[in-house]
Amino acid sequence: MLRWILGGLAALVVIILIAAHGPGALRAYKFEPTAPDPALMALYETVAEPVLREVPNLHGAEDLEPGPDGRLYASLADGRIMAREIDGGWSEFANTNGRPLGLAFAPDGALFVADALKGLLRLEDDGAFDVWLADESEGGPLVFTDDLTVLSDGAVILTDASRRYGYGEYMTSLLEGEQTGVIYKVTGPDQYEVLADGFGFINGVDHDPSTGRVFVNETWAGRVISLDPGTGDYAVLIDGLPGYPDNLAFDEETGLIWIALPSQRSPQIESLHPNPFLKRLAWRWIQIAGLPPFPPRPVMGMALNAEGEPVHALYGPDNAPFGVTTVTPWRGQIWVAGLERDGVDAYAVPEAIQ
Protein backbone atom coordinates (compact mmCIF):
# COMPACT_ATOMS: atom_id res chain seq x y z
CA MET A 1 0.00 0.00 0.00
CA LEU A 2 2.79 2.43 0.91
CA ARG A 3 4.43 1.73 -2.42
CA TRP A 4 1.19 2.62 -4.22
CA ILE A 5 0.87 5.85 -2.24
CA LEU A 6 4.47 6.86 -2.88
CA GLY A 7 4.09 5.98 -6.54
CA GLY A 8 0.96 8.09 -6.78
CA LEU A 9 2.66 11.03 -5.10
CA ALA A 10 5.63 10.73 -7.42
CA ALA A 11 3.32 10.68 -10.44
CA LEU A 12 1.51 13.75 -9.12
CA VAL A 13 4.81 15.59 -8.69
CA VAL A 14 5.81 14.70 -12.24
CA ILE A 15 2.46 15.95 -13.59
CA ILE A 16 2.83 19.23 -11.68
CA LEU A 17 6.38 19.73 -12.91
CA ILE A 18 5.36 19.02 -16.50
CA ALA A 19 2.46 21.45 -16.14
CA ALA A 20 4.76 24.13 -14.79
CA HIS A 21 7.74 23.61 -17.06
CA GLY A 22 6.66 21.39 -19.96
CA PRO A 23 5.85 22.37 -23.56
CA GLY A 24 3.69 25.49 -23.78
CA ALA A 25 4.46 26.53 -20.21
CA LEU A 26 4.37 30.19 -19.28
CA ARG A 27 7.81 31.76 -18.91
CA ALA A 28 6.86 33.39 -15.64
CA TYR A 29 9.03 35.92 -13.83
CA LYS A 30 9.09 37.24 -10.32
CA PHE A 31 7.63 40.73 -10.33
CA GLU A 32 6.74 42.80 -7.28
CA PRO A 33 5.17 46.11 -8.27
CA THR A 34 4.00 48.46 -5.55
CA ALA A 35 0.42 47.68 -4.56
CA PRO A 36 -2.28 50.20 -5.51
CA ASP A 37 -2.45 53.10 -3.07
CA PRO A 38 -5.96 53.24 -1.54
CA ALA A 39 -5.61 57.01 -1.14
CA LEU A 40 -5.23 57.38 -4.91
CA MET A 41 -8.23 55.15 -5.63
CA ALA A 42 -10.27 57.23 -3.19
CA LEU A 43 -9.88 60.18 -5.56
CA TYR A 44 -12.29 58.46 -7.94
CA GLU A 45 -15.71 59.03 -6.40
CA THR A 46 -17.87 61.25 -8.58
CA VAL A 47 -18.63 60.01 -12.09
CA ALA A 48 -18.60 62.76 -14.71
CA GLU A 49 -20.39 62.62 -18.04
CA PRO A 50 -18.73 63.69 -21.29
CA VAL A 51 -19.72 67.09 -22.62
CA LEU A 52 -19.16 65.89 -26.18
CA ARG A 53 -19.16 62.53 -27.95
CA GLU A 54 -17.89 62.06 -31.48
CA VAL A 55 -18.07 58.74 -33.33
CA PRO A 56 -17.50 59.59 -37.03
CA ASN A 57 -15.95 56.24 -37.97
CA LEU A 58 -13.29 56.62 -35.29
CA HIS A 59 -12.40 53.19 -33.95
CA GLY A 60 -9.37 52.51 -31.82
CA ALA A 61 -8.02 56.03 -31.41
CA GLU A 62 -5.12 54.86 -29.25
CA ASP A 63 -3.51 58.29 -29.01
CA LEU A 64 -4.71 61.87 -29.35
CA GLU A 65 -2.16 64.58 -30.04
CA PRO A 66 -2.61 68.35 -30.43
CA GLY A 67 -0.84 69.53 -33.55
CA PRO A 68 1.15 72.74 -34.19
CA ASP A 69 -1.60 73.80 -36.59
CA GLY A 70 -4.17 73.86 -33.77
CA ARG A 71 -5.90 70.65 -34.82
CA LEU A 72 -6.27 67.44 -32.80
CA TYR A 73 -4.85 64.23 -34.30
CA ALA A 74 -5.91 60.64 -33.66
CA SER A 75 -4.27 57.28 -34.53
CA LEU A 76 -6.85 54.67 -35.58
CA ALA A 77 -6.91 50.88 -35.67
CA ASP A 78 -7.22 50.76 -39.48
CA GLY A 79 -3.98 52.69 -40.02
CA ARG A 80 -5.48 56.11 -40.59
CA ILE A 81 -4.35 59.22 -38.79
CA MET A 82 -7.25 61.64 -38.51
CA ALA A 83 -7.31 65.38 -37.83
CA ARG A 84 -10.09 67.29 -36.12
CA GLU A 85 -10.67 70.91 -37.00
CA ILE A 86 -11.01 73.42 -34.19
CA ASP A 87 -14.66 74.00 -35.08
CA GLY A 88 -15.41 70.30 -35.53
CA GLY A 89 -15.21 67.68 -38.23
CA TRP A 90 -12.66 64.93 -38.77
CA SER A 91 -10.73 64.21 -41.95
CA GLU A 92 -8.01 61.76 -42.95
CA PHE A 93 -4.54 63.27 -42.67
CA ALA A 94 -2.35 60.25 -43.41
CA ASN A 95 -2.33 56.45 -43.38
CA THR A 96 0.56 54.26 -42.25
CA ASN A 97 -1.13 51.07 -43.52
CA GLY A 98 -0.07 49.58 -40.21
CA ARG A 99 -1.21 50.16 -36.63
CA PRO A 100 -0.26 53.68 -35.52
CA LEU A 101 -0.13 54.13 -31.75
CA GLY A 102 1.78 57.13 -30.37
CA LEU A 103 1.88 60.42 -32.28
CA ALA A 104 4.26 63.35 -31.75
CA PHE A 105 5.24 66.47 -33.66
CA ALA A 106 8.83 67.65 -34.02
CA PRO A 107 9.84 71.29 -33.52
CA ASP A 108 9.85 71.70 -37.32
CA GLY A 109 6.23 70.46 -37.48
CA ALA A 110 7.01 66.99 -38.85
CA LEU A 111 4.78 64.19 -37.61
CA PHE A 112 6.43 61.13 -36.05
CA VAL A 113 4.46 57.94 -35.51
CA ALA A 114 5.11 54.92 -33.31
CA ASP A 115 3.54 52.20 -35.45
CA ALA A 116 3.21 48.88 -33.64
CA LEU A 117 3.62 46.91 -36.87
CA LYS A 118 6.17 49.01 -38.75
CA GLY A 119 8.32 50.88 -36.21
CA LEU A 120 9.23 54.54 -35.85
CA LEU A 121 7.99 56.55 -38.85
CA ARG A 122 8.38 60.15 -40.00
CA LEU A 123 5.88 61.73 -42.38
CA GLU A 124 7.66 63.45 -45.25
CA ASP A 125 6.48 66.44 -47.26
CA ASP A 126 5.39 64.22 -50.14
CA GLY A 127 2.98 62.32 -47.86
CA ALA A 128 5.12 59.18 -47.64
CA PHE A 129 6.43 57.73 -44.40
CA ASP A 130 10.16 57.36 -43.89
CA VAL A 131 11.17 54.51 -41.57
CA TRP A 132 13.58 55.80 -38.92
CA LEU A 133 13.69 52.59 -36.91
CA ALA A 134 12.06 49.40 -38.18
CA ASP A 135 10.05 46.64 -36.58
CA GLU A 136 11.88 43.31 -36.17
CA SER A 137 9.71 41.85 -38.94
CA GLU A 138 11.47 44.32 -41.25
CA GLY A 139 14.93 43.64 -39.84
CA GLY A 140 14.87 46.37 -37.21
CA PRO A 141 15.29 46.23 -33.42
CA LEU A 142 11.73 47.09 -32.37
CA VAL A 143 9.23 44.51 -31.10
CA PHE A 144 6.33 46.55 -29.68
CA THR A 145 6.78 50.15 -30.86
CA ASP A 146 4.53 52.06 -28.50
CA ASP A 147 4.90 55.81 -27.90
CA LEU A 148 7.27 58.70 -28.45
CA THR A 149 8.05 62.35 -27.85
CA VAL A 150 10.33 64.66 -29.87
CA LEU A 151 12.73 66.90 -27.97
CA SER A 152 13.71 70.46 -28.90
CA ASP A 153 16.87 69.22 -30.63
CA GLY A 154 14.87 66.80 -32.80
CA ALA A 155 15.84 63.64 -30.92
CA VAL A 156 13.03 61.13 -30.47
CA ILE A 157 12.48 59.39 -27.14
CA LEU A 158 10.78 56.12 -28.07
CA THR A 159 9.33 53.30 -25.99
CA ASP A 160 9.48 49.66 -27.07
CA ALA A 161 6.96 48.22 -24.62
CA SER A 162 8.29 44.65 -24.62
CA ARG A 163 11.21 42.84 -26.20
CA ARG A 164 9.27 39.56 -25.95
CA TYR A 165 5.74 40.35 -27.08
CA GLY A 166 4.37 42.37 -29.95
CA TYR A 167 1.11 44.16 -30.58
CA GLY A 168 -1.95 42.23 -29.35
CA GLU A 169 -0.01 40.09 -26.87
CA TYR A 170 -0.03 42.41 -23.89
CA MET A 171 -2.04 40.05 -21.65
CA THR A 172 0.66 37.38 -21.91
CA SER A 173 3.22 40.02 -21.03
CA LEU A 174 1.22 40.92 -17.92
CA LEU A 175 0.74 37.30 -16.86
CA GLU A 176 4.45 36.57 -17.23
CA GLY A 177 5.45 39.71 -15.38
CA GLU A 178 8.25 40.08 -17.91
CA GLN A 179 10.34 43.23 -17.70
CA THR A 180 12.01 43.73 -21.06
CA GLY A 181 10.71 47.17 -22.07
CA VAL A 182 13.25 49.60 -23.55
CA ILE A 183 13.49 53.38 -23.82
CA TYR A 184 15.42 54.48 -26.92
CA LYS A 185 16.86 57.80 -28.00
CA VAL A 186 16.72 58.07 -31.79
CA THR A 187 18.61 60.90 -33.52
CA GLY A 188 18.15 59.90 -37.15
CA PRO A 189 17.30 56.94 -39.40
CA ASP A 190 18.88 53.86 -37.77
CA GLN A 191 20.78 56.10 -35.34
CA TYR A 192 19.78 55.16 -31.82
CA GLU A 193 20.93 54.28 -28.33
CA VAL A 194 19.33 52.54 -25.37
CA LEU A 195 18.63 55.07 -22.63
CA ALA A 196 17.19 52.61 -20.12
CA ASP A 197 15.71 49.10 -20.12
CA GLY A 198 14.32 46.35 -17.91
CA PHE A 199 10.79 47.77 -17.60
CA GLY A 200 7.45 46.03 -17.10
CA PHE A 201 5.78 47.21 -20.32
CA ILE A 202 7.16 50.73 -20.80
CA ASN A 203 4.50 52.84 -22.46
CA GLY A 204 3.33 56.45 -22.76
CA VAL A 205 5.97 59.18 -22.94
CA ASP A 206 6.05 62.98 -23.18
CA HIS A 207 8.35 65.77 -22.01
CA ASP A 208 8.41 69.24 -20.52
CA PRO A 209 9.92 71.55 -23.18
CA SER A 210 10.96 74.10 -20.54
CA THR A 211 13.15 71.66 -18.62
CA GLY A 212 13.72 68.84 -21.11
CA ARG A 213 12.62 66.33 -18.49
CA VAL A 214 10.92 63.23 -19.91
CA PHE A 215 8.02 61.43 -18.22
CA VAL A 216 7.24 57.78 -18.96
CA ASN A 217 4.55 55.33 -17.83
CA GLU A 218 5.61 51.83 -16.76
CA THR A 219 2.31 50.03 -17.21
CA TRP A 220 2.57 46.75 -15.30
CA ALA A 221 4.42 48.47 -12.44
CA GLY A 222 1.61 51.01 -12.03
CA ARG A 223 4.00 53.94 -11.89
CA VAL A 224 5.37 56.98 -13.71
CA ILE A 225 9.08 57.73 -13.94
CA SER A 226 10.95 60.96 -14.63
CA LEU A 227 13.89 60.50 -17.02
CA ASP A 228 16.95 62.53 -17.90
CA PRO A 229 17.22 62.13 -21.72
CA GLY A 230 20.90 63.00 -21.63
CA THR A 231 22.04 60.29 -19.23
CA GLY A 232 19.16 57.82 -19.06
CA ASP A 233 19.00 58.24 -15.28
CA TYR A 234 15.48 58.10 -13.91
CA ALA A 235 13.51 58.35 -10.70
CA VAL A 236 9.99 57.32 -9.73
CA LEU A 237 7.59 60.24 -9.97
CA ILE A 238 4.52 58.44 -8.60
CA ASP A 239 3.96 54.81 -7.61
CA GLY A 240 1.03 52.66 -6.56
CA LEU A 241 -1.37 53.96 -9.19
CA PRO A 242 -4.89 52.46 -8.98
CA GLY A 243 -4.81 51.48 -12.65
CA TYR A 244 -2.37 50.45 -15.34
CA PRO A 245 -1.09 53.68 -16.94
CA ASP A 246 -0.99 53.88 -20.71
CA ASN A 247 -0.45 57.10 -22.67
CA LEU A 248 0.83 60.30 -21.13
CA ALA A 249 0.39 63.94 -22.19
CA PHE A 250 2.27 66.97 -20.88
CA ASP A 251 0.20 70.17 -20.87
CA GLU A 252 2.47 73.15 -21.51
CA GLU A 253 -0.19 75.64 -20.39
CA THR A 254 -0.56 74.22 -16.89
CA GLY A 255 2.65 72.21 -16.46
CA LEU A 256 0.57 69.15 -15.59
CA ILE A 257 1.21 65.57 -16.67
CA TRP A 258 -1.99 63.75 -17.72
CA ILE A 259 -1.97 59.96 -17.59
CA ALA A 260 -4.60 57.57 -18.92
CA LEU A 261 -5.57 54.53 -16.83
CA PRO A 262 -7.41 52.12 -19.17
CA SER A 263 -7.96 49.48 -16.51
CA GLN A 264 -7.91 49.19 -12.76
CA ARG A 265 -5.27 46.84 -11.35
CA SER A 266 -5.93 43.08 -11.24
CA PRO A 267 -5.48 41.66 -7.72
CA GLN A 268 -5.88 38.09 -9.02
CA ILE A 269 -2.97 38.36 -11.43
CA GLU A 270 -0.75 40.52 -9.24
CA SER A 271 -1.13 38.15 -6.28
CA LEU A 272 0.71 35.54 -8.39
CA HIS A 273 3.60 37.76 -9.47
CA PRO A 274 5.88 37.01 -6.46
CA ASN A 275 5.72 33.24 -7.14
CA PRO A 276 6.57 32.26 -10.73
CA PHE A 277 5.92 28.56 -10.07
CA LEU A 278 2.34 29.19 -8.98
CA LYS A 279 1.92 31.53 -11.92
CA ARG A 280 2.95 28.75 -14.31
CA LEU A 281 0.34 26.44 -12.78
CA ALA A 282 -2.28 29.17 -12.96
CA TRP A 283 -1.45 29.58 -16.65
CA ARG A 284 -2.42 25.95 -17.29
CA TRP A 285 -5.75 26.58 -15.58
CA ILE A 286 -6.26 29.75 -17.61
CA GLN A 287 -5.70 27.71 -20.79
CA ILE A 288 -8.62 25.53 -19.71
CA ALA A 289 -10.98 27.96 -17.98
CA GLY A 290 -10.00 31.28 -19.54
CA LEU A 291 -8.72 34.50 -18.02
CA PRO A 292 -10.03 35.70 -14.65
CA PRO A 293 -12.63 38.46 -14.80
CA PHE A 294 -11.19 41.74 -15.97
CA PRO A 295 -11.10 44.53 -13.39
CA PRO A 296 -13.38 47.52 -13.95
CA ARG A 297 -12.45 49.71 -16.91
CA PRO A 298 -14.22 53.04 -16.53
CA VAL A 299 -12.89 56.27 -18.00
CA MET A 300 -9.97 57.11 -15.70
CA GLY A 301 -7.26 59.72 -15.90
CA MET A 302 -5.02 61.59 -13.50
CA ALA A 303 -3.09 64.85 -13.73
CA LEU A 304 0.15 65.24 -11.78
CA ASN A 305 2.31 68.24 -11.07
CA ALA A 306 6.09 68.18 -11.53
CA GLU A 307 6.49 66.74 -8.01
CA GLY A 308 4.23 63.78 -8.81
CA GLU A 309 1.32 65.04 -6.71
CA PRO A 310 -2.21 64.41 -8.03
CA VAL A 311 -3.99 67.61 -9.06
CA HIS A 312 -7.01 66.29 -10.99
CA ALA A 313 -8.75 62.91 -11.20
CA LEU A 314 -10.97 62.27 -14.21
CA TYR A 315 -13.61 59.60 -13.64
CA GLY A 316 -16.14 58.78 -16.34
CA PRO A 317 -18.75 56.07 -16.94
CA ASP A 318 -18.04 52.35 -16.96
CA ASN A 319 -20.38 51.75 -19.89
CA ALA A 320 -17.96 50.49 -22.55
CA PRO A 321 -16.15 47.15 -22.83
CA PHE A 322 -12.76 48.88 -22.97
CA GLY A 323 -11.12 51.73 -21.07
CA VAL A 324 -9.34 54.83 -22.40
CA THR A 325 -5.69 54.75 -23.42
CA THR A 326 -5.30 58.49 -23.94
CA VAL A 327 -6.36 61.45 -21.77
CA THR A 328 -5.31 64.64 -23.52
CA PRO A 329 -5.94 68.32 -22.73
CA TRP A 330 -6.98 70.31 -25.80
CA ARG A 331 -8.63 73.72 -25.98
CA GLY A 332 -9.79 73.81 -22.37
CA GLN A 333 -11.24 70.30 -22.27
CA ILE A 334 -9.94 66.78 -21.62
CA TRP A 335 -10.26 64.53 -24.66
CA VAL A 336 -10.24 60.74 -24.28
CA ALA A 337 -10.23 57.71 -26.56
CA GLY A 338 -9.01 54.14 -26.47
CA LEU A 339 -7.13 51.39 -28.27
CA GLU A 340 -10.28 49.29 -28.64
CA ARG A 341 -13.02 51.90 -28.15
CA ASP A 342 -15.31 53.59 -30.63
CA GLY A 343 -15.24 57.36 -30.86
CA VAL A 344 -13.64 60.24 -29.03
CA ASP A 345 -15.13 61.97 -25.97
CA ALA A 346 -14.46 65.32 -24.36
CA TYR A 347 -14.84 66.13 -20.65
CA ALA A 348 -14.73 69.31 -18.64
CA VAL A 349 -11.53 69.67 -16.63
CA PRO A 350 -12.24 68.10 -13.21
CA GLU A 351 -12.07 70.27 -10.13
CA ALA A 352 -8.69 70.40 -8.46
CA ILE A 353 -8.06 67.91 -5.67
CA GLN A 354 -8.23 69.61 -2.29
Side-chain angles (χ1 to χ4, degrees), residues 62 101 114-116 135 141-148 158-170 173-174 177-184 196-205 216-221 245-247:
E62 198 272 345
L101 297 179
D115 189 295
D135 181 79
L142 303 175
V143 177
F144 196 146
T145 314
D146 199 320
D147 199 16
L148 73 166
L158 176 72
T159 58
D160 193 4
S162 167
R163 294 290 302 152
R164 284 180 42 73
Y165 293 103
Y167 179 69
E169 300 178 300
Y170 55 88
S173 170
L174 171 59
E178 56 97 17
Q179 301 136 69
T180 62
V182 181
I183 302 173
Y184 290 103
D197 59 9
F199 297 103
F201 209 82
I202 200 71
N203 202 325
V205 55
V216 197
N217 287 334
E218 187 179 4
T219 301
W220 302 150
D246 199 295
N247 278 326

Side-chain angles (χ1 to χ4, degrees), residues 50 52-61 76 80 82 84 89-90 335-337 340-346:
L52 184 66
R53 300 208 71 186
E54 298 186 341
V55 195
N57 192 24
L58 296 172
H59 174 69
L76 301 189
R80 290 179 297 157
M82 305 291 285
R84 186 191 190 277
W90 292 85
W335 293 71
V336 308
E340 299 174 285
R341 289 171 68 97
D342 289 321
V344 176
D345 299 345

Side-chain angles (χ1 to χ4, degrees), residues 315-340:
Y315 194 31
D318 184 9
N319 58 3
F322 303 100
V324 297
T325 57
T326 181
V327 174
T328 303
W330 184 63
R331 299 188 63 79
Q333 295 175 318
I334 307 301
W335 293 71
V336 308
L339 176 75
E340 299 174 285

Side-chain angles (χ1 to χ4, degrees), residues 104-118:
F105 288 91
D108 64 0
L111 174 64
F112 282 84
V113 182
D115 189 295
L117 305 180
K118 295 194 170 187

Side-chain angles (χ1 to χ4, degrees), residues 92-108:
E92 183 173 332
F93 177 72
N95 193 325
T96 70
N97 294 307
R99 196 351 173 166
L101 297 179
L103 305 174
F105 288 91
D108 64 0

